[in-house]
Amino acid sequence: MTAGQQFDTRRRDMAGSGNPPSSRSKSPRRPVRICLAGSGGGHVRQLLDLEPFWHDQDFFFVTEDTALGRTLQGQHRTYLLPHFAWGQVRLGSPFRMLAAAFKSFFLSARIILRERPTVLVSEGAGAVYPTVLWAKILGARIVIIDSLARFEAPSLFGKLAGPLADDMVVQAQGLKAAFPKAHVFDPMRVLEGEPPPKQPLMFVTVGATLPFDRLVETVAQLHKEGAIPERIVVQTGIGGKTPADLTVVESLPFDEVRSILRDASIVVCHGGTGSLITALREGCQVIAMPRLARLGEHYDDHQAEIVKAFVERGLVLKADNVDELRAALIQARTRKPVMATSDPSELIQFLRSTIVPA
């Protein structure tokens, strides 16, 4: 769906609802309209976890053009933006980053001018910064939730968007020093009960945005050695390497990912919070390989920080190379799975009490 088609659809929706823009302008008090702005992967997934806050409000999503974003577009009013991140400059793609940022800046302006949100809630990252900026300029209340991926130091998005925030939220006590006035809500919770029955299936996923050839090649080498008896499904990312002797897909709709996770006994994934938490919820044994900036695999080393925190909580195993993955697989096959999730109930109550009128 093109941007123009999205706006045409929005016009038809308003006409069918009997609530044209002119009727809103005559109201003595603007109704709450919530913009939920989050980049692909874990950022927008955490906004989805806040559904009890937004589901009965007038809301819309702004996210990146990924498989998850397109899935979301089929369920809710959703606008898609091109991916860009500041770290693309360090990876040698400054002009690609600038072109996407330029497009996102003007597309964000059209979205915000069309929708006129009264509140914007964002969990980052760079691709939605122009959306946050335009919403602030046009008078929306801004709520910035710094990423669950950050435990020790704030994200660049948090640093840039924090000064625009009317309410700042962090998800680890260690970030309070960076944002003294922020509200702290740590959502991580271990789940009780027995994990569901599983099949001898390994799901390998690199996330929605970037390929991760080191991870895929490590799994392929162990499979070639005969060290992985499980059936393997590999999600490589757009343009990632595709070993000939494995079942490989570039991307999957989020519903299909969850379906695979319900069966998968082992998940080997990058260090993104969305992939980690989604697998932990389904009772999978999770082995994480964080992307490393020095190898050109990501814009910084926040995934190493995430995986370190999850390992310290006893939630996942970590592997950085073939030998470590071989050892982690042996441990995973004998270790009781730990089920965990992010529980945003306290954050939801805060958003309800401060944003949604009684």
Side-chain angles (χ1 to χ4, degrees):
M1 180 181 290
T2 67
Q5 289 172 326
Q6 293 178 44
F7 289 116
D8 288 343
T9 301
R10 174 63 191 140
R11 279 194 287 269
R12 290 196 298 271
D13 290 345
M14 289 191 296
S17 67
N19 185 30
S22 59
S23 66
R24 292 198 302 270
S25 64
K26 294 177 183 179
S27 174
R29 179 178 178 180
R30 290 178 67 194
V32 174
R33 170 167 289 177
I34 302 171
C35 173
L36 300 160
S39 299
H43 298 284
V44 75
R45 287 181 193 176
Q46 188 165 17
L47 293 176
L48 288 170
D49 288 343
L50 300 177
E51 182 175 3
F53 155 64
W54 51 256
H55 80 279
D56 57 353
Q57 303 296 318
D58 183 5
F59 68 90
F60 64 97
F61 281 89
V62 178
T63 188
E64 292 179 310
D65 189 359
T66 64
L68 177 56
R70 291 186 290 275
T71 298
L72 193 60
Q73 198 172 49
Q75 300 169 345
H76 304 294
R77 192 162 84 248
T78 301
Y79 299 96
L80 302 181
L81 298 174
H83 169 74
F84 81 90
W86 322 115
Q88 285 174 295
V89 175
R90 287 200 296 273
L91 293 183
S93 302
F95 297 110
R96 180 183 300 175
M97 187 275 286
L98 289 172
F102 183 82
K103 182 177 180 180
S104 181
F105 182 80
F106 288 102
L107 185 54
S108 294
R110 291 182 63 193
I111 294 167
I112 297 302
L113 284 167
R114 169 65 61 182
E115 293 284 357
R116 296 282 181 165
T118 56
V119 178
L120 179 141
V121 179
S122 179
E123 210 259 3
V128 297
Y129 181 77
T131 309
V132 175
L133 182 62
W134 279 112
K136 183 68 175 181
I137 290 171
L138 294 179
R141 180 173 181 171
I142 305 298
V143 181
I144 299 299
I145 306 169
D146 205 22
S147 174
L148 182 58
R150 298 294 179 166
F151 296 88
E152 300 169 359
S155 66
L156 178 58
F157 176 82
K159 292 177 183 177
L160 293 174
L164 304 177
D166 297 285
D167 297 282
M168 186 73 194
V169 173
V170 296
Q171 300 181 81
Q173 191 64 41
L175 296 181
K176 187 70 172 175
F179 302 107
K181 296 182 180 180
H183 307 274
V184 183
F185 300 99
D186 184 344
M188 291 303 302
R189 303 286 185 272
V190 174
L191 299 173
E192 301 295 332
E194 292 296 316
K198 295 289 186 177
Q199 298 181 15
L201 169 65
M202 176 187 292
F203 181 49
V204 181
T205 175
V206 306
T209 305
L210 300 170
F212 190 7
D213 292 339
R214 178 166 62 96
L215 172 58
V216 174
E217 290 171 340
T218 300
V219 171
Q221 181 173 333
L222 287 178
H223 176 257
K224 186 176 181 180
E225 293 176 5
I228 304 178
E230 293 86 0
R231 182 168 65 90
I232 304 173
V233 176
V234 183
Q235 181 262 318
T236 65
I238 305 301
K241 289 190 176 180
T242 56
D245 55 346
L246 296 178
T247 301
V248 173
V249 292
E250 285 193 330
S251 64
L252 286 168
F254 187 52
D255 288 346
E256 290 187 31
V257 170
R258 287 192 295 189
S259 178
I260 293 172
L261 290 174
R262 281 192 285 270
D263 292 332
S265 57
I266 298 175
V267 171
V268 181
C269 64
H270 70 142
T273 53
S275 294
L276 294 172
I277 292 173
T278 306
L280 287 168
R281 282 176 182 159
E282 298 296 338
C284 307
Q285 291 281 12
V286 181
I287 303 172
M289 181 179 290
R291 298 175 187 267
L292 300 176
R294 63 182 172 80
L295 299 179
E297 295 166 343
H298 216 315
Y299 311 133
D300 57 31
D301 283 327
H302 75 275
Q303 287 201 356
E305 182 182 335
I306 296 168
V307 174
K308 177 175 179 287
F310 275 59
V311 169
E312 289 174 349
R313 296 185 186 208
L315 302 177
V316 306
L317 302 172
K318 176 177 176 289
D320 280 320
N321 53 50
V322 171
D323 291 336
E324 290 182 5
L325 181 57
R326 185 185 294 109
L329 286 170
I330 294 171
Q331 185 178 353
R333 294 186 184 108
T334 58
R335 170 180 180 261
K336 182 179 179 180
V338 179
M339 297 175 64
T341 190
S342 58
D343 177 6
S345 56
E346 294 179 353
L347 175 55
I348 289 168
Q349 181 57 39
F350 166 76
L351 293 171
R352 280 174 167 167
S353 62
T354 58
I355 292 175
V356 179

